[in-house]
């Protein structure tokens, strides 16, 4: 907009705008450009559908089991190792522990499941899993299992029986011939992924893998036999006491058919809720592009991870620390939540993350910047997810290797590797040689000035403020301020969460007068006088 030529004209413009906005029944929000003294006004955005869902909004801590904590000295992380570290996780104040696949498998990553009803011997036994579930529950945490239902291992007895039944035309009541994507010609399967030949004596035919790996054949989710099997698996673990499921590879449920994929995700979640009403289910929907809540067809009542706000995506807290402009972050928080709530009729909140097992770990220029990213990730509505080691600043990039092992390196519990008996070996294929943190989680958790201590502080702050979990985040302020300001509404309570992601500049914005200021998460001295708030670099301020 063109700036008025005089100070009187500037204020006159502001007063006229106020009158116009008030006449329309909207609430004006004011902002100030400190260098010019200009006054701007805007109309608050429309509120989304109110949240009325039953999903818990406790933060999730993702664990790559084999790299987390070794309890028996064999160099491989295991379930008992997680039990041994529950005090640390409880002190960090996470709510759910999402475990990478724990079933028997020939790979280090375990996404090629050989037996859905057992635990890989390297990790423990079903009894160890039960012990973990019970021990975590006693400390207020639930266990979420990574659930791989789009494909299985070609060493799974189920696949072997299915191939035999298909090759021999077996049609008995227990036939599995239709449980995988088999065909007589490769052309019939190409649209589903990479095709591989199955050489059965006297009958050669084909199957498909959506992941371009012959060891992971695709499951036919249209088979009633498959659906019965998968529901039985979910019930088995719900009866054991797990709190939820993270469904892997939703995009590959029906490759290229988003509506059917979304519907099947909903089918699985609905069944799980019929067994355990408060079960937490979430889907990984990712096809290499920016999948978002407002373009996920068949999204329904089940959350999906919001990939666009991870890492360098527009509106991510990491990108905000690099650009110095915080406004895009708060605007994205508003729009993502609005899409999630409106598309689910108020039943589902967003699910944010910055890094995961398939991505390079995020890197910032300083400890303070990493703390700002933590604030931006964890003080969001819905269910934020953090990746193990993120809270101690672990690093790891894939590089040119055709493996994600470097993104799944061993957790550091103590700085001294020789004394760190719980530190596993790095996974097979890891060759990361870049800069790495030397700080151990157990040493850092009680240090208030450490990144781990800051994660603990932010998570405690989140836990104490229900509105930051379930409230409606409205965009407040404008791009001139370069602040992230969200007005948070939950029932009759109205508060404001303000971030300055800039690395070297104090940023100023205008909020309503008479608020109380909480500086718990401010890394410097913030000031608030006559409605004018000034926030130091990399700091977060809460007002109510």
């Amino acid at each position: 907009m063109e700036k008025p030529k005089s100070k009187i004209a500037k204020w006159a413009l502001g007063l006229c705008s106020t009158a116009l906005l008030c006449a329309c029944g909207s609430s004006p929000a004011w902002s100030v450009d400190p260098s010019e003294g200009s006054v701007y006004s805007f109309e608050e955005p429309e509120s989304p559908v109110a949240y009325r869902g039953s999903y818990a909004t406790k933060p999730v801590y993702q664990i790559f089991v084999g790299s987390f904590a070794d309890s028996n000295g064999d160099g491989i992380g295991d379930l008992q190792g997680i039990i041994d570290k529950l005090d640390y996780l409880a002190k960090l104040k996470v709510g759910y522990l999402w475990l990478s696949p724990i079933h028997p498998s020939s790979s280090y990553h375990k996404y090629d499941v050989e037996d859905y009803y057992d635990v890989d011997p390297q990790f423990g036994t079903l009894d160890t899993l039960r012990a973990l579930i019970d021990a975590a529950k006693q400390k207020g945490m639930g266990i979420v299992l990574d659930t791989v239902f789009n494909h299985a291992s070609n060493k799974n007895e189920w696949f072997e029986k299915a191939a035999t039944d298909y090759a021999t035309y077996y049609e008995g009541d227990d036939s599995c011939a239709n449980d995988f994507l088999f065909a007589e010609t490769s052309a019939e399967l190409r649209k589903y992924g990479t095709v591989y030949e199955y050489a059965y004596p006297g009958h050669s035919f084909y199957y498909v893998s959506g992941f371009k790996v012959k060891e992971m054949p695709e499951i036919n989710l249209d088979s009633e036999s498959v659906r019965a099997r998968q529901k039985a698996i979910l019930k088995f673990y719900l009866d054991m006491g797990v709190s939820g499921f993270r469904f892997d590879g939703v995009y590959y449920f029906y490759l290229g058919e988003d509506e059917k994929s979304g519907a099947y995700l909903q089918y699985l979640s609905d069944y799980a809720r019929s067994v355990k009403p408060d079960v937490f289910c979430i889907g990984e929907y990712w096809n290499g592009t920016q999948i978002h809540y407002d373009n996920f067809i068949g999204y329904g009542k089940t959350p999906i991870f919001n990939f666009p706000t991870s890492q360098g995506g527009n509106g991510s807290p990491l990108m905000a620390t690099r650009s110095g402009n915080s406004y895009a972050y708060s605007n994205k928080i508003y729009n993502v939540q609005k899409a999630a709530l409106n598309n689910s009729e108020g039943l589902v909140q967003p699910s944010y993350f910055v890094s995961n097992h398939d991505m390079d770990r995020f890197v910032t220029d300083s400890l303070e910047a990493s703390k700002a990213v933590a604030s931006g990730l964890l003080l969001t509505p819905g269910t934020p997810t953090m990746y193990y080691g993120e809270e101690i600043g672990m690093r790891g990039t894939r590089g040119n290797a055709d493996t994600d092992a470097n993104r799944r390196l061993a957790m550091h519990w103590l700085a001294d590797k020789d004394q760190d008996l719980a530190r596993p070996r790095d996974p097979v294929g890891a060759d990361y040689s870049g800069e790495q943190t030397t700080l151990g989680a157990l040493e850092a958790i009680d240090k208030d000035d450490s990144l781990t201590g800051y994660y603990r502080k932010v998570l405690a702050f989140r836990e104490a403020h229900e509105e930051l979990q379930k409230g409606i985040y409205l965009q407040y302020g404008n791009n001139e301020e370069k602040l992230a300001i969200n007005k948070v509404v939950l029932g009759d309570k109205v508060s404001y969460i303000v971030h300055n992601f800039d690395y070297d500049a104090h940023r100023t914005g205008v909020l309503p007068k008479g608020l109380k200021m909480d500086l718990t998460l401010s890394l410097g001295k913030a000031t608030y006088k006559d409605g004018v708030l000034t926030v130091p670099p990399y700091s977060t301020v809460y007002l109510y």
Side-chain angles (χ1 to χ4, degrees):
M1 86 182 240
E2 183 178 354
K3 293 182 180 179
K5 295 182 179 180
S6 69
K7 187 174 182 180
I8 294 176
K10 294 175 184 178
W11 283 103
L13 176 62
L15 291 172
C16 290
S17 299
T18 303
L20 178 61
L21 289 170
C22 291
C24 294
S26 57
S27 302
W30 297 95
S31 62
V32 174
D33 181 340
S35 64
E36 296 290 334
S38 302
V39 177
Y40 302 87
S41 65
F42 74 103
E43 197 168 344
E44 283 188 16
E46 179 183 357
S47 293
V49 173
Y51 177 57
R52 61 184 182 89
S54 60
Y55 270 111
T57 53
K58 296 183 293 186
V60 177
Y61 188 92
Q62 179 189 358
I63 294 175
F64 188 72
V65 177
S67 293
F68 191 64
D70 175 17
S71 70
N72 58 12
D74 67 356
I76 300 171
D78 48 51
L79 299 182
Q80 182 61 49
I82 300 173
I83 295 174
D84 295 343
K85 301 307 179 188
L86 286 177
D87 285 342
Y88 165 82
L89 294 164
K91 186 178 290 188
L92 196 61
K93 291 193 174 296
V94 297
Y96 291 112
L97 306 180
W98 155 24
L99 310 185
S100 60
I102 60 172
H103 307 297
S105 165
S106 300
S107 69
Y108 83 93
H109 55 70
K110 307 302 179 190
Y111 281 93
D112 50 334
V113 178
E114 296 178 8
D115 185 350
Y116 286 96
Y117 288 98
D118 202 358
V119 171
D120 194 293
Q122 296 178 109
F123 295 160
T125 65
L126 286 173
D127 285 339
T128 321
L129 177 60
R130 291 185 183 96
L132 171 58
I133 292 167
D134 292 342
K137 184 177 181 180
Q138 291 176 14
K139 294 185 180 296
M141 291 175 282
I143 299 300
V144 174
L145 297 183
D146 208 328
T147 306
V148 189
F149 276 175
N150 56 301
H151 58 246
S153 169
N154 62 353
K155 296 180 181 178
N156 193 310
E157 290 183 3
W158 176 26
F159 175 77
E160 293 173 351
K161 181 180 186 312
T164 299
D165 290 349
Y166 182 86
T168 59
Y169 306 100
Y170 176 66
E171 296 181 352
D173 291 341
D174 62 341
S175 174
C176 299
N178 194 39
D179 288 0
F180 290 81
L181 295 181
F182 296 124
E184 295 299 308
T185 67
S186 61
E188 297 175 69
L189 297 175
R190 285 174 187 157
K191 68 177 182 179
Y192 300 114
T194 305
V195 180
Y196 296 95
E197 185 175 6
Y198 192 98
Y200 188 85
H203 188 170
S204 181
F205 53 95
Y206 298 90
Y207 68 94
V208 66
S209 168
F211 280 78
K212 301 181 181 180
V213 179
K214 69 178 183 179
E215 289 81 11
M216 296 192 290
E218 291 295 300
I219 297 171
N220 177 20
L221 300 179
D222 283 332
S223 165
E224 289 302 319
S225 169
V226 166
R227 295 190 173 207
R229 281 175 176 267
Q230 293 188 340
K231 288 193 293 186
I233 292 166
L234 295 180
K235 189 174 188 305
F236 178 80
Y237 289 104
L238 288 171
D239 289 346
M240 189 182 292
V242 303
S243 295
F245 304 97
R246 177 263 186 189
F247 292 105
D248 180 62
V250 174
Y251 172 72
Y252 295 92
F253 281 178
Y254 292 92
L255 187 63
E257 299 181 75
D258 290 350
E259 188 169 357
K260 290 184 69 174
S261 293
Y264 196 70
L265 172 64
Q266 195 59 51
Y267 171 81
L268 295 171
S269 297
D270 285 345
Y271 173 75
R273 276 193 289 271
S274 75
V275 178
K276 180 181 174 66
D278 63 346
V279 65
F280 174 67
C281 295
I282 189 166
E284 179 218 20
Y285 190 97
W286 174 245
N287 68 351
T289 60
Q290 299 288 33
I291 299 302
H292 196 284
Y293 286 94
D294 54 6
N295 62 20
F296 181 67
I297 303 170
Y299 161 68
K301 302 189 292 283
T302 303
I304 57 173
F305 290 106
N306 194 58
F307 279 85
T309 52
S310 67
Q311 298 260 340
N314 180 35
S316 75
L318 179 61
M319 181 58 73
T321 64
R322 293 172 177 173
S323 68
N325 187 341
S326 308
Y327 176 81
Y329 163 87
S330 54
N331 182 257
K332 182 66 75 172
I333 294 297
Y334 161 68
N335 283 308
V336 170
Q337 186 190 39
K338 181 173 68 172
L341 290 173
N342 288 350
N343 288 355
S344 67
E345 299 179 345
L347 293 172
V348 174
Q349 290 271 37
S351 298
Y352 298 96
F353 71 100
V354 179
S355 293
N356 68 18
H357 59 295
D358 290 327
M359 307 167 71
D360 291 350
R361 288 185 177 272
F362 80 83
V363 177
T364 65
D365 294 331
S366 67
L367 173 62
E368 290 73 18
S370 294
K371 290 179 178 180
V373 172
S375 288
L377 166 64
L378 300 174
L379 300 179
T380 52
T383 312
T385 298
M386 64 206 83
Y387 187 38
Y388 82 96
E390 175 181 303
E391 77 278 14
I392 64 172
M394 280 184 61
R395 300 189 176 195
T397 59
R398 183 173 188 175
N400 295 321
D402 188 21
T403 174
D404 284 317
N406 288 335
R407 297 162 167 172
R408 307 170 186 182
L409 301 175
M411 179 72 168
H412 290 200
W413 295 104
L414 299 174
D416 187 340
K417 185 176 181 180
D418 293 335
Q419 297 297 317
D420 193 358
L421 301 182
R423 188 187 303 189
R425 295 190 302 269
D426 288 333
V428 174
D431 60 359
Y432 180 72
S433 59
E435 184 179 351
Q436 183 59 276
T437 180
T438 57
L439 191 63
L442 296 179
E443 299 157 330
I445 186 68
D446 292 318
K447 293 183 179 180
D448 290 341
D449 60 346
S450 71
L451 179 60
T452 318
Y454 190 76
Y455 265 81
R456 179 184 179 187
K457 183 186 293 186
V458 177
L459 287 166
F461 194 86
R462 175 189 175 85
E463 183 178 76
H465 293 275
E466 185 182 17
E467 65 276 12
L468 297 179
Q469 306 166 40
K470 300 180 180 179
I472 302 300
Y473 279 55
L474 296 173
Q475 174 65 65
Y476 199 92
N478 63 44
N479 198 37
E480 298 294 331
E481 296 171 322
K482 293 183 170 56
L483 274 176
I485 307 175
N486 286 111
K487 177 180 178 180
V488 184
V489 181
L490 182 63
D492 295 333
K493 183 167 186 177
V494 177
S495 56
Y496 299 82
I497 189 76
V498 183
H499 304 278
N500 177 12
F501 293 111
D502 200 315
Y503 64 93
D504 66 352
H506 286 65
R507 296 293 182 183
T508 298
V510 174
L511 286 86
K513 296 180 180 180
L515 300 174
K516 296 180 181 179
M517 181 171 62
D518 189 323
L519 295 179
T520 301
L521 303 176
S522 182
L523 301 183
K525 180 64 175 177
T527 61
Y528 169 69
K529 184 177 180 181
D530 296 329
V532 178
L533 175 69
T534 301
V535 185
Y538 291 147
S539 289
T540 296
V541 178
Y542 177 76
L543 302 101
Y544 59 100

